[in-house]
Amino acid sequence: MATRSRANPGGNQNVLTILGPDVLPLRARKPPWFKVPAPGSPKYRELKGLIESENLHTVCQEAACPNIGECWQRGTATFMILGDTCTRRCGFCNVKTGKPTWNDPLEAARVARSVARMGLRHAVITSVDRDDLPDLGASAFVGVIRQIRRQAPKCKVEVLTPDFRGEEMPLAKVIAERPDVFNHNVEVVPRLYPVARRGSKFERSCRVLKNAKEIGGDQITTKSGLMVGLGESFDEMVDALGTLRDNHVQVLTVGQYLRPTENHLPIVRYWQPDEFKQLETAAYALGFEHVAAGPLVRSSYHADQHVPQREPGIGPLAEIAR
């Protein structure tokens, strides 16, 4: 399915009027702190084979995450349910867009089986946007949470959901299953939504997070994440973080945007490591309980360290697979 370039999501709209005229070319040299070892360890190959054998999708692969080697070496992965085709076209995202056809009633059981075999203590479950489905994909999250509770009962479950178009019933269905962490990323500061998250609204995403906390109470931890590198100022970021705190977000991640292809939004600049540290300090001053901020930080990067863990997750299949 042919789609307009993500770097020009508004058709005649010139993104440089929002990002500014000084953007970096696609092949610009990255700062030295972005150098990471190429994936290929035995553990990486083991998990890659397991995920492929179960016909599963991971956001690690679909979003071309730079941390895939490290995370898979640690034995962690973020599972992406409901297929690999998204109904939206965010300007920064490397997941393909189009008309989804994925419908596998056994996907939840296969994800949970993989979580158990990997012996995870913290599983992250995300999905593409499925605006084509009646409940916007909520029932798929419900199924995976239930299956993980059944097959790997000591594993904590984090869900990273779409905004469900702001509808309360799909959200309530997910929160009723009491995931340990409810994560929904606002991604960028409000000013950048017209080019980075066309079809989404910053205020709507904040309302989703607020509603999740009000429904789940102390039984769930709320979490959100943002990117930098698209021309936002430090003050804009702090203002956005303040809004997230006002909407009861407890855990925060902030990382650097990396342009996947020439069809995606250009990078305005690379933030320095000390700027991430300053942002982390500002976030803690606002009252966040845990903050992960750095060039290579992604929403699910070391997610098991973002909330307290009681013990390693050991499901009924984990011992057999070891």
Side-chain angles (χ1 to χ4, degrees), residues 24-237:
L24 300 176
L26 177 63
R27 304 300 177 189
R29 184 182 296 274
K30 293 183 180 68
W33 51 82
F34 284 103
K35 292 183 179 180
V36 295
S41 68
K43 187 65 175 178
Y44 169 86
R45 294 194 297 270
E46 175 191 344
L47 295 190
K48 186 173 186 290
L50 172 62
I51 289 166
E52 290 176 350
S53 69
E54 293 284 4
N55 192 28
L56 298 174
H57 301 284
T58 68
V59 75
C60 320
Q61 296 164 301
E62 303 297 335
C65 180
N67 303 311
I68 187 170
E70 178 187 354
C71 288
W72 285 21
Q73 171 65 24
R74 295 175 70 241
T76 63
T78 300
F79 297 94
M80 189 168 72
I81 59 175
L82 292 170
D84 62 353
T85 305
C86 188
T87 54
R88 299 190 194 177
R89 191 176 68 251
C90 294
F92 59 86
C93 185
N94 198 45
V95 176
K96 68 180 180 180
T97 186
K99 185 176 181 180
T101 59
W102 185 265
N103 179 26
D104 180 4
L106 297 179
E107 182 178 49
R110 292 189 292 104
V111 169
R113 182 166 61 199
S114 295
V115 168
R117 285 177 172 169
M118 292 166 67
L120 300 184
R121 67 172 183 171
H122 189 107
V124 182
I125 310 300
T126 190
S127 79
V128 291
D129 277 277
R130 290 297 302 266
D131 295 327
D132 59 310
L133 297 176
D135 70 350
L136 308 172
S139 59
F141 280 97
V142 169
V144 173
I145 295 170
R146 289 179 179 177
Q147 283 289 332
I148 292 176
R149 300 291 193 214
R150 182 176 296 118
Q151 297 193 45
K154 294 184 180 180
C155 180
K156 287 197 172 185
V157 181
E158 174 175 335
V159 293
L160 171 53
T161 77
D163 62 10
F164 299 126
R165 291 200 305 227
E167 295 184 16
E168 294 185 5
M169 287 307 297
L171 174 66
K173 287 173 64 174
V174 175
I175 300 301
E177 298 300 319
R178 292 300 185 264
D180 297 283
V181 180
F182 177 84
N183 187 356
H184 171 65
N185 289 333
V186 296
E187 304 290 6
V188 293
V189 299
R191 179 176 60 84
L192 296 174
Y193 264 61
V195 294
R197 297 201 72 199
R198 186 172 173 83
S200 302
K201 298 178 181 179
F202 183 83
E203 296 79 8
R204 183 168 71 192
S205 287
C206 288
R207 187 169 67 250
V208 168
L209 289 158
K210 181 179 181 179
N211 288 343
K213 187 60 180 177
E214 290 180 347
I215 297 171
D218 293 337
Q219 291 183 292
I220 68 165
T221 297
T222 49
K223 175 179 172 180
S224 190
L226 295 94
M227 303 177 301
V228 297
L230 291 171
E232 64 290 307
S233 68
F234 186 88
D235 288 342
E236 277 185 301
M237 286 294 294

Side-chain angles (χ1 to χ4, degrees), residues 67 226 252-256 292-301 306:
N67 303 311
L226 295 94
L252 174 73
T253 59
V254 184
Q256 170 73 50
L296 288 172
V297 168
R298 297 295 182 265
S299 182
S300 303
Y301 182 56
H306 296 172

Side-chain angles (χ1 to χ4, degrees), residues 270-290:
Y270 292 107
W271 280 45
Q272 300 284 328
D274 62 334
E275 293 179 285
F276 283 101
K277 186 63 178 178
Q278 293 169 16
L279 200 58
E280 178 183 310
T281 300
Y284 275 122
L286 288 169
F288 286 95
E289 296 175 14
H290 182 88

